[in-house]
Amino acid sequence: MSDTEVDFRTLPLPEVLRMFREQGEPADPRPDIDTESLKRRFPRLANVETRDAAIDGGARAVPARLYTDASAEASGRALVWVHGGAFIGGHLDMPESNWFALELAARGIPVLAVDYVKCLGDVHFPAPSDDVLAAWRHAVAHADELFAADTVYLGGASAGGNLTAGAVARLRDAGDRVPDGLVLVYPVVHPNGPAASAELDPDSPHGGLALNFAGSVEALGDAHAFAALGSVDGFPPTFVLVCEFDGLRPSGEAFARQLDAAGIDVALRLEAGADHGHINEPADPAALPTIEAIVRWIGGTQ
């Protein structure tokens, strides 16, 4: 059996990293998740316009995509959004990025969806975090041109939640502008997400991914790599979404408690019946309620 016929999720991490380096991430077999298919399935998305961009990240160009809908009632708020993928995969066309951004734009919240360099054995933190920072700084420097709004939120899902929470810590510590709000969807903000802990078994599946992202055992303790390990003073109001059946749920819940204890305005939502990655599946009955809750929170109605 060739590498392309193997389910990479069944392979040891070193083999997955080699496969992704040599062949790229396997194509998603679903035939109905491209933009045109999504617009046919969900007519409310029909007027969303997209524009791809390459943001100067210094070391590399950062792929991004702008979503706007001139027919939607403007909320006056915008979002910079970062998808997940275990730090080794994911892209702008996955539903967790593309469908999510289409839905928000159709509701009057323009979105700049951001990709980042993947940690495929030779790349580690802070490289993907640097890409997120570059995209954020570009977005706020050009907010009027991009969004016709100056209230800009930052958010991400899973690994993207990690990267955006870490970016807030880096911005705060550098004395730069932090987002007006932070949206974290099933985030992993501890080295050991299932235990919401800094202690992990590097030979476990999650531990291996965390170590691959950090690059070294020492870097696992970096509060810019895992925001829950440091102070959250100075964080903006934050929305945290966790899923009932998600093994990483403890990380998000613990981070919400940490924010609350520091006096940060935090909203924690438990999505009943949902599992990790549910907004990457438009047919999941819990996906749209998550999106609608985020829209309400950004709009200040929840």
Side-chain angles (χ1 to χ4, degrees), residues 190-202:
H190 299 79
N192 184 334
S197 167
E199 303 298 325
L200 83 165
D201 175 6

Side-chain angles (χ1 to χ4, degrees), residues 178-205:
V178 299
D180 293 294
L182 177 64
V183 176
L184 303 177
V185 177
Y186 39 78
V188 52
V189 287
H190 299 79
N192 184 334
S197 167
E199 303 298 325
L200 83 165
D201 175 6
D203 295 324
S204 70

Side-chain angles (χ1 to χ4, degrees), residues 82-277:
V82 185
H83 65 77
F87 307 106
I88 64 173
H91 46 78
L92 295 176
D93 291 324
M94 66 190 293
E96 190 177 82
S97 184
N98 187 45
W99 178 58
F100 178 88
L102 287 166
E103 291 283 1
L104 264 69
R107 291 163 169 80
I109 302 172
V111 176
L112 183 69
V114 178
D115 201 359
Y116 48 89
V117 67
K118 306 306 185 298
C119 298
L120 297 179
D122 54 350
V123 172
H124 307 284
F125 179 83
S129 177
D130 289 344
D131 288 355
V132 171
L133 280 179
W136 166 256
R137 287 172 170 142
H138 175 85
V140 295
H142 302 277
D144 188 60
E145 168 194 342
L146 293 171
F147 309 124
D150 57 9
T151 299
V152 186
Y153 289 60
L154 177 63
S158 193
N162 168 290
L163 293 172
T164 52
V168 170
R170 294 182 69 185
L171 290 165
R172 175 203 60 198
D173 292 347
D176 289 349
R177 172 182 171 178
V178 299
D180 293 294
L182 177 64
V183 176
L184 303 177
V185 177
Y186 39 78
V188 52
V189 287
H190 299 79
N192 184 334
S197 167
E199 303 298 325
L200 83 165
D201 175 6
D203 295 324
S204 70
H206 179 79
L209 287 168
L211 182 58
N212 176 65
F213 165 61
S216 68
V217 172
E218 292 73 23
L220 286 168
D222 189 334
H224 288 167
F226 296 95
L229 301 184
S231 168
V232 294
D233 290 345
F235 266 57
T238 301
F239 177 94
V240 181
L241 186 290
V242 297
C243 299
E244 181 179 7
F245 302 121
D246 184 6
L248 295 173
R249 172 180 167 184
S251 184
E253 290 179 327
F255 195 56
R257 292 193 298 270
Q258 184 178 352
L259 290 163
D260 184 63
I264 307 301
D265 183 2
V266 59
L268 174 64
R269 177 182 172 92
L270 170 65
E271 203 65 79
D275 203 345
H276 194 85

